[in-house]
Amino acid sequence: MEPPSTGGVTAAGNNTTHKFHPCDEAVIATNDDASDCKRCAVRLGYWKDDYIGYFVRNQERKAPEINRGYFARVKGVEMCVEKFLKKTSGNCQIINLGCGFDTLYFRLRDTAHQVKNFIELDFPTVTARKCYTIKRNKALLAKIHDEDGEVRLSPTDLHGPSYHLMGVDLRNLDEVDNKLQQAEVDYTLPTIFLAECVLVYIEAQNCRNLLKWIAQKFQAAVFVNYEQVNMNDRFGEVMLNNLRIRGCSLAGVESCLSLETQNQRFKECGWSGARAWDMVQVYESISSAERQRIERLEMLDEGELLLQLFQHYCLVVAWLGVAFQDLDITVEELMSSLNID
């Protein structure tokens, strides 16, 4: 995995060691599943993403309910990101926790939205694959470095002028702190944290430690969290059993029992406030024209399964300070400029 011989790219050392928990391998595999699903939905026209195809080659078609669910997931997170960017006029940071093969950075580069710093963290096994893909594709590298800036690479980490991808265990706060310093994080700058089905895989105490640490370190921040909810009913039990069969223990499931427990997790960890919506509410907040457009892409045999899926996932927005307490999912007439027009 030597860096390419193109100009502006240099290798950097990496001596970090990592201790894996028994379930880590299965959790890492969920990135492949999510990426495959996003790739399928993009190919069918649910939203535009010119970059996911670099990371995912799979052409397998997913069920219409899955595609529509991922559309709501991506759209919901992006509504929050866009409102945050407008509120800060780009004078901000984005920190993507458990980033997987997410392509938001590259899609943002194709818009008028710019940020001071974009940081992505995930298991080193995942970031190594993402680094390798970026390294091999000039179209991706070109988005990261400008004429004056170089890209520094190690097997698991990549550093550009305003983009940093790093391998780290989110349960190790000393390591997280060290990595953020390498990424030249500014703790005084408004920061939005993104996590899609990440906290639920972290043991409750480790998760609390992480959220408390962020609340203590950052002055003004928003946390957008997408994950399971209502996991104490029959449908939730089936979801849990399916994940256990694959070796995934939802270590943080106690916070996924209701929208209230989702909110409480943040409030108990020093965050100023939080609000949560299930994905039925998120989907209904998307403009009717956009919903009609994607509903014409595929027919559902019946809507009961989609409704159940939507009722068992949620979007949570937590905030530090008062500047972002009004950030919610209410969609404006103007459609998202990130990628779904």
Side-chain angles (χ1 to χ4, degrees), residues 296-339:
R296 287 194 294 265
L297 295 175
E298 295 180 288
M299 294 296 294
L300 291 179
D301 290 335
E302 46 90 19
E304 182 61 27
L305 175 57
L306 180 64
L307 178 62
Q308 287 183 311
L309 285 170
F310 276 171
Q311 289 171 339
H312 288 83
Y313 283 92
C314 68
L315 197 65
V316 186
V317 175
W319 59 89
L320 295 172
V322 297
F324 304 106
Q325 62 184 0
D326 59 346
L327 196 148
D328 61 28
I329 60 166
T330 308
V331 75
E332 300 166 10
E333 285 302 309
L334 200 63
M335 287 303 298
S336 169
S337 63
L338 294 190
N339 68 11

Side-chain angles (χ1 to χ4, degrees), residues 233-301:
D233 66 9
R234 180 71 191 115
F235 192 84
E237 287 176 15
V238 171
M239 289 171 62
L240 278 170
N241 287 334
N242 287 340
L243 285 163
R244 289 193 187 108
I245 289 169
R246 297 173 53 191
C248 278
S249 169
L250 295 189
V253 73
E254 66 181 42
S255 294
C256 301
L257 301 183
S258 67
L259 294 177
E260 183 53 36
T261 60
Q262 285 282 359
N263 288 334
Q264 279 301 118
R265 171 165 58 185
F266 286 93
K267 293 175 183 176
E268 291 171 359
C269 292
W271 290 71
S272 305
R275 59 175 66 93
W277 308 267
D278 67 28
M279 295 309 290
V280 175
Q281 295 168 296
V282 174
Y283 188 70
E284 288 175 350
S285 77
I286 299 169
S287 75
S288 58
E290 186 65 355
R291 278 184 280 134
Q292 289 169 14
R293 180 188 71 79
I294 67 105
E295 286 168 4
R296 287 194 294 265
L297 295 175
E298 295 180 288
M299 294 296 294
L300 291 179
D301 290 335

Side-chain angles (χ1 to χ4, degrees), residues 25 91-92 99 269-270 278:
E25 195 170 323
N91 186 37
C92 62
C99 61
C269 292
D278 67 28

Side-chain angles (χ1 to χ4, degrees), residues 208-233:
R208 284 192 288 269
N209 292 342
L210 175 64
L211 295 178
K212 286 178 181 177
W213 183 84
I214 293 172
Q216 291 164 1
K217 279 280 191 177
F218 290 81
Q219 294 181 8
V222 171
F223 199 115
V224 178
N225 182 45
Y226 170 87
E227 68 182 3
Q228 294 88 343
V229 74
N230 296 324
M231 295 301 283
N232 53 354
D233 66 9

Side-chain angles (χ1 to χ4, degrees), residues 29 50 106 161 171 191 199 204 259:
D50 294 331
F106 301 100
R171 297 165 295 205
T191 303
L199 300 184
L259 294 177

